[in-house]
Amino acid sequence: MQNDDVIWDVIRHHHCSYMAKIQTGNFCRNPYNVTGICNRSSCPLANSRYATIRDHDGIFYLYMKTIERAHMPNKLWERVKLPKNYMKALEIIDKHLEYWPKLLVHKIKQRLTKMTQYRIRMVKLSKKVREKIMTVPRKEVKRESRREEKALRAAQIENVIEKELLERLIKGVYPDICNYDEEIFNKLLDKNKVEEQEEEEEEEAEVEYVEGDYEIEEEEELEDIEDMGDFLKANNFDDIEGDEDDLEEQPAKKKAYVSYPLKQDDGTEKVRRKGKKVVVEVERDEDMGNRQHNAMSNCAHQKLRFWHVFGRISRFFSRQSYQFEGIFFFFFCFRFFLCRTMIDLWFYSQEMLQRDSLLL
Amino acid sequence: MAKEKKRKAAEEAVDGDDYIEREDKKPKKQKLILASQIKNKEKRSAVYAKLKHEKRVEKRKKIKARDAASKQALELGEEPPEKMVPRTIENTRELDETVCRPDDEELFAGNDADEFSAVLKQQTAPKVLITTCRFNSSRGPAFIKELLSVIPNAQYYKRGTYELKKIVEYAKNKEFTSIIVVHTNRREPDALLLIGLPDGPTAHFRLSNLVLRKDIKNHGNPTSHEPELVLNNFTTRLGHRVGRMIQSLFPQVPNFRGRRVVTFHNQRDFIFFRHHRYVFEVKEKKEGLKDKKSKASQGKTEKKAIARLQECGPRFTLKLVSLQHGTFDTKGGEFEWVHKADMDTSRRRFFI
């Protein structure tokens, strides 16, 4: 014999294991609860005649319990399958719960509404593409980080890069890098080359897999460069570059690596120092024009020559004795040229000066 | 104490048949006591220190002998004795059949018919679209800014809530050559998805150890010249493919005046990314500092040509998780290579 009031009394005032107290109120975790709130009218334990809707695999079932079966917990809940159609489901609920208290029926219908709504939403979401979160076991994460550290140490990246760059320099991939003293470099690189060749001879016997420097890649790049190099020279004129290549103390030596046509210093130095004989220099260029693959445009020529001259002048002024005059010259030119190029040139000339003082 | 106990145990164990054997066994068993078996800490540490000292002395002797031998040989004009090569993981790497050989014609033929051949042969200029995952936070945007400065001709588009497949279509319409998706997890960029277009492969990398430019000491600022590429150690076929994919992100005509180099260095399946500006210099090296006794040789100064690097730009490592044939399609796509847990069992086996 059940007395609902007694049950409710005990549950409410002592202990109910389904009750969850949070800030906003008391909730019931009982799966058969209609509203989910811990209430006298919503408690499935304290009401001998009760009904709910539960969802199994997307299909809704109406569960009912009556007091006649209260002594058989096994067969307590009677279940009716509800159709997916909302209106038909409502009709079936009405049919089964005809003489039941209106409040309960109302709550059940509300629950049905909510459940159909979220079922629709779930279907929509599953059609969308969502990111799946995959977890990686901590052991693997740690292992990877350990291996990465060791690989980093074994890689010695900076050394490898430096070696690679030097190799490329030796091979002649760089036609027009400006800021090194070519003479000494060539000497040293020749030395390096000789050393390397000696080493290679020793190593010939070993079987080689394709090693660190990816040969095929380099070839491809080289290919590009050979074609592009001249193209670049002709069209993308970087004015300063021409200057700086020529700004050297030692007169007149052809550089092995750079096939830049302006390299011939022989007799033209003095001419350029005087300054403005553009015509003469153009003629000279045409002599060397055979070396080039693409024809340079005349105005680009002249432009380069002008910068060349300018570079010479500024270098002249950069010597120790002429520094004062040099500053005047600098400011004079400042008005006509870009700030940046001027500063670059000035600093470069200073650099050259320092280098001279170091070497001599 | 322990020694005495051992001796007694040895005596008890042996039957006593061979008197001579027992005597032989005693000293042997005494020598085999490890320092770690002594329970007394002071005694144990003393024994261990002695052991270490002995080892060190031996090692030094060996090194001296070796050096002396090689010096002798040099003076005599003979070949110096062979240098001992230390055993490394790279030395003892498991033999891989898929390593590319320089005379492999199939490889070159494959390269021509590749998805990247159009870009790599400069028929099309690379154009890169960078985007993120749906929720982007914290270091993601900073990283993307730096990526934009590293890769020339790259553009950033906000993700919105578009599906990746739609983004791929959109990019195809606008004639991009590749897409980079930076994925963030827990407020850190976590993964990089590289999608080649029009039907290029999709490579999924895991990103780790990201160091932004501002966190690097003495960093340089990159210019906008096209960078030079250095791809190291991409030896196997898979590595070759990945290397070409990375290459297709960058324009094939580097501007050497900019002196910018971007490096992807593969070591044990980890691809390290570095971005430097370099300079060639002459370095004076003083010789003869090893021999403190002979001061005469200190006068030599050897000049060497070196390249000096200044790091600019971000620094991170990538690890390939999967390579999928075709554009992004995890369900229906065909995976060329997927990382599985049982690939990690051997410490000497690498795939890239």
Side-chain angles (χ1 to χ4, degrees):
Chain A
M1 234 345 272
Q2 308 209 86
N3 192 338
D4 294 340
D5 286 329
V6 172
I7 295 176
W8 176 246
D9 232 7
V10 170
I11 286 176
R12 187 64 184 83
H13 298 299
H14 295 284
H15 177 69
C16 175
S17 48
Y18 293 110
M19 182 164 75
K21 260 194 199 170
I22 55 175
Q23 256 182 343
T24 42
N26 299 336
F27 290 90
C28 185
R29 275 197 237 130
N30 195 324
Y32 288 97
N33 192 320
V34 174
T35 55
I37 304 172
C38 192
N39 253 337
R40 176 69 181 87
S41 53
S42 322
C43 190
L45 305 171
N47 289 305
S48 35
R49 187 165 60 165
Y50 201 70
T52 349
I53 297 187
R54 285 181 76 184
D55 159 35
H56 185 68
D57 271 356
I59 307 172
F60 297 151
Y61 295 93
L62 174 66
Y63 284 75
M64 293 172 284
K65 92 167 176 178
T66 47
I67 197 163
E68 283 85 28
R69 297 195 302 272
H71 64 284
M72 296 184 293
N74 201 12
K75 303 182 186 122
L76 185 57
W77 291 95
E78 179 192 339
R79 150 170 119 164
V80 173
K81 182 170 171 182
L82 292 175
K84 290 216 171 154
N85 188 338
Y86 180 63
M87 303 308 294
K88 286 193 188 156
L90 281 179
E91 283 172 20
I92 288 186
I93 290 175
D94 277 330
K95 193 175 76 170
H96 278 95
L97 302 180
E98 211 180 314
Y99 300 107
W100 286 47
K102 300 292 175 215
L103 180 65
L104 193 59
V105 175
H106 182 62
K107 291 290 179 197
I108 287 170
K109 286 185 186 169
Q110 277 185 333
R111 189 179 169 88
L112 176 72
T113 318
K114 194 152 236 152
M115 287 174 92
T116 37
Q117 283 175 347
Y118 81 57
R119 178 167 59 186
I120 294 170
R121 237 182 295 145
M122 274 169 72
V123 166
K124 259 200 226 164
L125 264 182
S126 67
K127 285 195 187 151
K128 266 196 188 173
V129 172
R130 304 193 78 198
E131 293 172 352
K132 185 177 171 193
I133 298 180
M134 310 214 50
T135 56
V136 184
R138 189 179 290 194
K139 180 164 100 176
E140 290 204 20
V141 167
K142 287 200 160 175
R143 198 208 292 156
E144 288 303 322
S145 62
R146 248 182 284 136
R147 287 191 180 172
E148 192 187 316
E149 265 186 54
K150 292 185 185 169
L152 183 61
R153 258 179 274 147
Q156 297 174 355
I157 297 175
E158 310 238 313
N159 293 345
V160 169
I161 299 179
E162 287 174 8
K163 256 192 228 168
E164 170 76 25
L165 289 175
L166 272 178
E167 266 186 44
R168 288 190 185 177
L169 183 65
I170 292 173
K171 276 193 193 165
V173 169
Y174 305 132
D176 50 2
I177 282 197
C178 45
N179 67 342
Y180 59 91
D181 198 348
E182 293 205 42
E183 268 242 339
I184 296 185
F185 248 78
N186 296 351
K187 273 196 223 157
L188 294 173
L189 290 172
D190 288 335
K191 236 200 263 171
N192 285 3
K193 242 193 191 171
V194 171
E195 284 174 7
E196 278 181 21
Q197 277 174 7
E198 283 176 6
E199 285 177 15
E200 278 178 22
E201 283 169 16
E202 286 178 17
E203 290 176 2
E204 254 173 4
E206 293 176 1
V207 174
E208 286 186 20
Y209 290 110
V210 175
E211 354 70 296
D213 301 332
Y214 201 49
E215 294 168 3
I216 303 177
E217 222 87 68
E218 273 185 40
E219 279 172 19
E220 286 180 353
E221 277 197 55
L222 269 179
E223 265 177 63
D224 307 336
I225 290 146
E226 279 166 13
D227 291 335
M228 284 286 137
D230 298 315
F231 189 70
L232 273 176
K233 280 182 227 162
N235 296 339
N236 305 351
F237 254 48
D238 275 55
D239 306 314
I240 305 173
E241 165 230 321
D243 292 328
E244 294 175 324
D245 279 335
D246 276 304
L247 294 178
E248 284 166 32
E249 282 277 29
Q250 289 92 352
K253 284 186 187 168
K254 276 195 197 173
K255 312 303 171 214
Y257 296 104
V258 184
S259 59
Y260 207 84
L262 299 173
K263 273 306 149 192
Q264 284 197 352
D265 285 335
D266 298 303
T268 58
E269 271 187 57
K270 288 181 187 171
V271 178
R272 287 174 194 167
R273 275 223 178 114
K274 284 179 192 172
K276 322 243 159 141
K277 296 194 180 173
V278 178
V279 179
V280 176
E281 287 154 349
V282 170
E283 281 172 20
R284 282 216 163 255
D285 249 4
E286 278 169 7
D287 286 340
M288 303 182 290
N290 299 326
R291 273 215 241 159
Q292 284 177 273
H293 300 286
N294 302 325
M296 279 202 260
S297 61
N298 222 11
C299 58
H301 242 330
Q302 292 178 6
K303 197 179 171 190
L304 183 79
R305 286 300 169 190
F306 179 69
W307 276 110
H308 199 75
V309 162
F310 178 76
R312 281 269 150 203
I313 297 172
S314 62
R315 193 149 186 288
F316 175 69
F317 278 123
S318 70
R319 291 173 195 275
Q320 215 72 68
S321 47
Y322 290 114
Q323 259 197 345
F324 200 59
E325 288 86 329
I327 294 172
F328 275 122
F329 176 66
F330 177 76
F331 281 114
F332 173 75
C333 299
F334 192 86
R335 296 172 60 197
F336 297 102
F337 303 110
L338 284 174
C339 210
R340 194 171 166 195
T341 52
M342 289 306 305
I343 292 172
D344 276 356
L345 267 175
W346 182 251
F347 280 121
Y348 184 78
S349 59
Q350 293 293 350
E351 210 184 292
M352 287 303 294
L353 198 65
Q354 280 179 15
R355 202 173 288 164
D356 299 345
S357 57
L358 267 180
L359 290 173
L360 291 177
Chain B
M1 275 293 289
K3 285 187 189 173
E4 288 169 10
K5 275 190 189 169
K6 275 242 165 180
R7 210 185 299 156
K8 281 185 191 169
E11 282 176 325
E12 283 165 10
V14 177
D15 282 344
D17 282 338
D18 285 9
Y19 188 70
I20 308 164
E21 270 192 28
R22 204 195 299 162
E23 275 197 345
D24 282 320
K25 276 188 183 174
K26 273 193 218 170
K28 272 188 194 171
K29 282 207 171 174
Q30 279 181 7
K31 277 184 188 171
L32 284 177
I33 292 176
L34 297 171
S36 55
Q37 283 180 0
I38 304 174
K39 300 285 188 179
N40 183 341
K41 182 171 177 180
E42 278 194 34
K43 180 76 176 162
R44 179 174 69 232
S45 53
V47 167
Y48 186 61
K50 195 174 166 193
L51 192 72
K52 277 224 130 178
H53 180 72
E54 281 173 18
K55 272 195 189 169
R56 211 179 296 157
V57 161
E58 254 192 66
K59 191 173 178 186
R60 274 201 213 131
K61 256 197 233 170
K62 267 195 207 166
I63 291 176
K64 263 195 178 171
R66 228 189 300 145
D67 284 342
S70 67
K71 248 194 179 175
Q72 236 187 22
L74 276 175
E75 281 172 14
L76 293 178
E78 296 168 355
E79 276 186 28
E82 267 190 29
K83 265 197 167 182
M84 305 206 307
V85 179
R87 186 195 72 145
T88 60
I89 292 187
E90 282 78 26
N91 283 349
T92 50
R93 176 175 170 172
E94 267 181 30
L95 214 63
D96 205 341
E97 301 159 334
T98 57
V99 167
C100 301
R101 296 169 197 285
D103 53 354
D104 196 355
E105 289 204 355
E106 203 188 296
L107 183 67
F108 294 124
N111 280 352
D112 286 332
D114 216 341
E115 294 103 340
F116 320 114
S117 62
V119 177
L120 293 184
K121 290 187 181 167
Q122 295 159 47
Q123 290 161 5
T124 39
K127 197 174 165 199
V128 176
L129 166 69
I130 304 186
T131 182
T132 66
C133 63
R134 286 206 182 96
F135 304 107
N136 197 13
S137 56
S138 210
R139 301 230 288 169
F143 175 55
I144 288 176
K145 243 197 220 170
E146 302 200 352
L147 260 190
L148 285 173
S149 72
V150 171
I151 306 178
N153 202 6
Q155 290 165 31
Y156 170 59
Y157 282 80
K158 278 198 211 170
R159 173 64 184 267
T161 48
Y162 299 110
E163 258 185 54
L164 253 188
K165 294 189 190 175
K166 293 223 176 104
I167 293 183
V168 165
E169 265 185 51
Y170 171 75
K172 271 194 223 178
N173 290 340
K174 293 231 165 172
E175 290 176 5
F176 282 94
T177 54
S178 39
I179 302 179
I180 300 181
V181 180
V182 177
H183 196 278
T184 325
N185 180 20
R186 283 207 186 163
R187 295 170 285 279
E188 277 265 342
D190 204 22
L192 215 66
L193 200 67
L194 225 59
I195 307 177
L197 299 171
D199 15 64
T202 310
H204 183 214
F205 294 99
R206 184 169 60 224
L207 220 160
S208 45
N209 262 354
L210 172 68
V211 180
L212 295 176
R213 186 180 303 150
K214 56 187 170 101
D215 300 325
I216 300 176
K217 278 191 175 177
N218 299 331
H219 69 262
N221 290 317
T223 54
S224 61
H225 298 101
E226 284 98 20
E228 226 180 298
L229 256 195
V230 170
L231 294 165
N232 274 339
N233 267 341
F234 287 89
T235 49
T236 61
R237 290 294 283 265
L238 174 69
H240 182 64
R241 201 158 149 73
V242 170
R244 277 172 71 85
M245 187 170 192
I246 294 175
Q247 204 183 359
S248 69
L249 289 175
F250 293 88
Q252 298 308 302
V253 191
N255 187 346
F256 295 115
R257 273 192 54 78
R259 283 181 278 128
R260 242 178 104 192
V261 62
V262 165
T263 311
F264 287 87
H265 180 105
N266 170 40
Q267 187 83 16
R268 304 184 194 172
D269 278 359
F270 288 100
I271 302 176
F272 297 102
F273 170 90
R274 297 285 184 271
H275 180 207
H276 294 281
R277 300 199 63 198
Y278 61 88
V279 148
F280 290 111
E281 273 183 359
V282 175
K283 178 173 155 190
E284 298 193 1
K285 212 172 148 188
K286 287 197 176 171
E287 272 203 349
L289 281 178
K290 291 179 193 173
D291 238 359
K292 290 184 187 175
K293 293 175 190 173
S294 60
K295 289 187 183 175
S297 53
Q298 268 185 4
K300 260 197 236 170
T301 57
E302 212 191 69
K303 288 189 186 168
K304 267 197 154 191
I306 56 160
R308 227 167 28 97
L309 303 171
Q310 186 193 30
E311 185 152 6
C312 47
R315 187 200 282 183
F316 54 88
T317 59
L318 301 171
K319 184 155 205 268
L320 185 68
V321 169
S322 69
L323 184 64
Q324 184 209 332
H325 191 265
T327 54
F328 184 76
D329 186 359
T330 34
K331 289 185 197 162
E334 168 203 344
F335 281 90
E336 292 180 17
W337 189 82
V338 173
H339 174 266
K340 292 206 171 135
D342 61 349
M343 291 178 178
D344 286 337
T345 48
S346 163
R347 285 186 214 186
R348 305 240 179 315
R349 181 172 54 181
F350 307 112
F351 301 95
I352 298 185

